[in-house]
Amino acid sequence: MTADNTFVRDTKSARNGSREKFWMRLDNAAKIYPAVQDEELTAVFRLTCVLKKPVKIGPLLKAIELLENRFPYYKVKPKKGFFWYYLEFHDEPIPLKPDMAIPCRAFAKDDLIFRVLVRENRLSVEFSHILTDGGGGFEFLKSLLLTYFDKCCISVPDHVTALKPDEDPSREEFEDAFSAHFQENIPSPKKKPKSFHLPFALNNPPRFNVLVAKLSLADISAKSKMYKVTITAYLVAVYLHSLQSIYNRLSGFKRRRERKIFRVQVPVNLRKIYPSKTMRNFSLFVTPEIDLALGQYSFEEIIKTVHHIMQLETDKKLINKIIARNVGAERNIWLKNTPLFIKSLILNLTYSIAGTSRYSGVITNLGKVTFGEVDNLIDHFVFVPPPPNKALKVNCGVLGFDNNLVIAFGNITQSKEFEREFFRFLVSQGISVKILKN
Amino acid sequence: MVICRECGVELEDDMINCPLCETPLTRNIGNGNITQKKITRSKPEVERKYALQRVLWQVTSVLLLSGIVSTLIIDLSVHGEVIWSVYPVSICMLCFSYASILSFWRSKLVYQLLAGWVISTFILLAFDFYMPYSKWLIHLSLPILCALNVVVIPLIVILYKVKRKGLNVLALIFVAITLICLIIDGIVSVYFLGAIKLQWSIIVAACLLPVVAALLFMYLRTRDNADLQKIFHT
């Protein structure tokens, strides 16, 4: 038994393909998803690498074959226990499929909960959030890409770090890092009031559609530097400003009915704060907000607020508080001893009442990636966040590569008003925006 | 360079199908250009299976027909009328109906068996129409036919749905055999004695059910998720 109570009988045996089964507890962030997910709210995110040339299927098959035993913690299926779901190892081949359907589809009941998708010059991976977050998913894509390039006889520079196919997976990669970094007897953060939600009508199922746009990284970087904030803070400010604009356009009655707090969830990769090599979920949210009850905000005021909230909330001590609250709830004696079918009802209710009702949107920035000398083979990357729920309606994923920043909006409504507002504002700031075919 | 028309990915020169979408590729080399075209998927293994079924049907039909003809000739030559040969003839006719449906009607096995049940019932009713003095047709053969189908069809459905097949399959088959024996014993006793009086089927059940219990126990002990900690972790 490892420190985080993850049951891994023998990681090396999995690596060496001896097919010994193991099982793992769901990590703290993953626990909610089996209870709330369905055909629409799939909890599946996608990472796409758009190459400059069509994907060569032969080298790709060889690359996947080499990686078969490298990521045993992803070759698992969620199963129902009596008290909690758990992940059970299944030594099945990494699923490779043509990328023909809508992105971020749900996984079938008996499938592995990640897949590799290929179409023309696009190589994508889709992961259920039960398995990992964007950070872990991108590490997998990085390993796959570099192995693929290697099989295409393209030399990959040594300084590009990625998990190598011939390495054994370390125990830290299996780790539930939330439990590992949980500290007892820390007070919980204060509850936040409910916030504004976009008032758009939902699409008919299948609801989810994606809009992808490419921006100049140099332009946006210059703009952020001008305001002395990070690119993430700048984009969050644009997000909040767009929400405010939409709120202002509502009719008087609707405006009085809607809540006046605009709060955006911004995932933070905790691997950068804590010394963790986990390949499973390890991110939390900071929640910059503005309150229109205090009056209208100029963009400058929004960006200042966002910057300071983000600086404050990414402090390790405050992150400890959030981890303590989340893991503490999971370890609550009443909750943990409640049978799963009742627990699922509670989690479902909690998710809709206390979860997304307190946020107006989500913006995930995975940062800028680089592959050194092989960058010239790649056009761009796209990060498509999981389909938002009926309250959030729209969410946003950001990924930078080379001199481009690609923004993908996931939307389940009939309206593109929010995306229009967001990009129009960027254009008004002198940042060129090009909408891409997805 | 060969590009899959469905997925748009680049394929190796020696590939016959796209490994992603299974689209077969043909390379027509004319004027120095390589072109691909999508062709209808052939299913040689399925065709082979049906061809084998047809051969089996032919062999079965010849055997059954020869059985029918020989028993009828013997019965007629000895008694001058159809007496005992009605039993082998009706059994051969039922087997022939099932063999024909299974060989020629391409549908799910359950539907094939249901159709076989209906046709067999009609065959037995037809025999009864021409031989009204043979009470066994209605009172014995039809209930046994129904009992067989009522047990076998759900058994096939259950076996099809069972994900992990092992000793549990054998246990289920033994349970089905026990049930069939009990039902047949009951039907026969009602036919001959006018009341349900189970005799030999009790012995069959007493022998088979402990075996079923042992098989299920061994199956459950060797299941992957027998790890109680995994199921009951909090």
Side-chain angles (χ1 to χ4, degrees), chain B residues 36-181:
Chain B
Q36 305 98 50
K37 66 173 184 183
K38 193 173 178 181
I39 57 170
T40 313
R41 284 184 73 179
S42 64
K43 295 179 179 173
E45 66 283 358
V46 177
E47 291 304 327
R48 268 202 301 277
K49 184 183 153 196
Y50 286 130
L52 183 68
Q53 277 180 354
R54 278 196 292 275
V55 172
L56 281 174
W57 177 83
Q58 285 164 1
V59 173
T60 313
S61 302
V62 170
L63 288 174
L64 291 172
L65 194 64
S66 56
I68 289 170
V69 171
S70 57
T71 48
L72 278 174
I73 288 170
I74 294 166
D75 201 14
L76 285 171
S77 60
V78 173
H79 298 102
E81 58 178 333
V82 174
I83 300 177
W84 58 266
S85 61
V86 70
Y87 305 112
V89 168
S90 58
I91 289 168
C92 287
M93 291 286 280
L94 297 192
C95 291
F96 178 74
S97 67
Y98 273 101
S100 304
I101 287 166
L102 292 171
S103 301
F104 295 110
W105 190 34
R106 297 183 183 188
S107 181
K108 286 184 177 174
L109 182 60
V110 171
Y111 296 147
Q112 289 175 329
L113 291 176
L114 284 171
W117 184 4
V118 172
I119 291 170
S120 304
T121 306
F122 277 111
I123 290 170
L124 290 175
L125 289 173
F127 270 100
D128 184 60
F129 183 76
Y130 286 107
M131 303 172 73
Y133 50 88
S134 300
K135 286 181 180 175
W136 64 270
L137 280 166
I138 296 294
H139 296 105
L140 204 60
S141 59
L142 272 182
I144 290 174
L145 179 71
C146 287
L148 280 170
N149 279 288
V150 164
V151 175
V152 170
I153 292 174
L155 173 72
I156 288 168
V157 173
I158 292 168
L159 291 181
Y160 183 74
K161 297 229 170 189
V162 167
K163 279 182 186 165
R164 259 181 23 88
K165 293 182 176 66
L167 293 173
N168 55 340
V169 172
L170 206 56
L172 283 169
I173 291 170
F174 282 173
V175 169
I177 290 170
T178 310
L179 273 174
I180 288 169
C181 288

Side-chain angles (χ1 to χ4, degrees), chain A residues 176-220:
Chain A
D176 174 4
F178 290 106
S179 289
H181 296 281
F182 167 69
Q183 294 175 26
E184 276 179 293
N185 304 322
I186 291 182
S188 293
K190 281 182 188 167
K191 275 187 183 173
K192 297 191 170 173
K194 291 185 177 179
S195 64
F196 169 79
H197 287 122
L198 290 166
F200 307 142
L202 298 179
N203 275 331
N204 291 324
R207 296 196 180 96
F208 190 56
N209 59 67
V210 180
L211 181 82
V212 183
K214 198 193 262 187
L215 284 67
S216 159
L217 190 59
D219 287 356
I220 209 158

Side-chain angles (χ1 to χ4, degrees), chain B residues 191-207:
Chain B
Y191 180 73
F192 285 109
L193 307 172
I196 295 174
K197 196 174 178 187
L198 301 179
Q199 291 174 342
W200 55 271
S201 62
I202 297 284
I203 299 165
V204 175
C207 293

Side-chain angles (χ1 to χ4, degrees), chain A residues 14 21 41 56 98 141 163 195 217 225 256 325 336 357:
Chain A
K21 279 205 164 190
L41 190 67
K56 295 178 181 177
L141 178 62
L163 299 173
S195 64
L217 190 59
K225 275 181 188 156
R256 274 193 296 278
R325 179 193 61 193
K336 77 175 183 181
S357 65

Side-chain angles (χ1 to χ4, degrees), chain A residues 7 9 21 23 25 55-57 59 81-84 86 88 96 98 100 118-120 337, chain B residues 3 6-12 15 19-21 163 224-225 227 229-234:
Chain A
F7 288 79
R9 297 235 166 89
K21 279 205 164 190
W23 67 277
R25 290 160 187 268
V55 175
K56 295 178 181 177
I57 200 70
F82 188 76
F83 294 109
W84 291 105
Y86 59 89
E88 189 177 68
L96 173 65
M100 300 299 183
V118 186
R119 176 164 55 95
E120 296 166 6
N337 290 309
Chain B
I3 303 284
E6 296 295 319
C7 311
V9 296
E10 187 182 328
L11 305 174
E12 303 282 275
M15 282 178 173
L20 295 171
C21 62
K163 279 182 186 165
D224 293 326
N225 54 1
D227 184 350
Q229 199 172 17
K230 181 169 70 177
I231 296 168
F232 291 101
H233 77 278
T234 57

